[in-house]
Amino acid sequence: MTDFIQVRTTTGDHAVVERIATELVDRRLAACAQIAGPLTSTYHWQGEVETSSEYLCTLKCRASAFDEVAELIGSLHPYDTPEVIGTPLSHVSRAYAAWLDETLSR
């Protein structure tokens, strides 16, 4: 088990997802960020089923930084309730874990 997590968020605006990725990497709260999309999301919102085009941002972070990461994403995100999900990375190669450890702020 490592102390690293993968955090994901989505948004419909490519410029916003790029800003989230850049801010988190610049602040060393994320070692790296991948942006994928557009993808189609279907969800319940305010009593209706909605479908929209979104971009997915996946970030590699320290588990101990999750609250700070989530707060920063929320401050940059246009949604009322942005998706911010952290998943523990239970298996990481030694070389990649060493790079994460070196890259991320303490």
Side-chain angles (χ1 to χ4, degrees), residues 7-29:
V7 176
R8 60 179 280 155
T9 191
T10 56
T11 184
D13 187 328
H14 194 267
V16 169
V17 80
E18 283 183 341
R19 182 165 180 225
I20 289 169
T22 300
E23 284 288 326
L24 285 158
V25 171
D26 280 350
R27 295 179 191 210
R28 292 189 175 262
L29 289 170

Side-chain angles (χ1 to χ4, degrees), residues 62-78:
R62 286 191 191 281
S64 59
F66 178 79
D67 289 340
E68 188 175 358
V69 168
E71 185 177 321
L72 182 56
I73 290 171
S75 74
L76 298 171
H77 209 291

Side-chain angles (χ1 to χ4, degrees), residues 10-62:
T10 56
T11 184
D13 187 328
H14 194 267
V16 169
V17 80
E18 283 183 341
R19 182 165 180 225
I20 289 169
T22 300
E23 284 288 326
L24 285 158
V25 171
D26 280 350
R27 295 179 191 210
R28 292 189 175 262
L29 289 170
C32 62
Q34 291 89 26
I35 298 171
L39 50 92
T40 301
S41 294
T42 302
Y43 51 91
H44 279 275
W45 184 248
Q46 297 179 342
E48 301 291 328
V49 174
E50 301 283 338
T51 299
S52 62
S53 181
E54 294 186 302
Y55 295 90
L56 170 65
C57 184
T58 305
L59 307 133
K60 308 309 182 306
C61 307
R62 286 191 191 281

Side-chain angles (χ1 to χ4, degrees), residues 90-105:
S90 63
H91 296 80
V92 179
S93 71
R94 286 185 189 138
Y96 194 75
W99 175 77
L100 287 172
D101 191 51
E102 177 183 310
T103 304
L104 293 167
S105 62

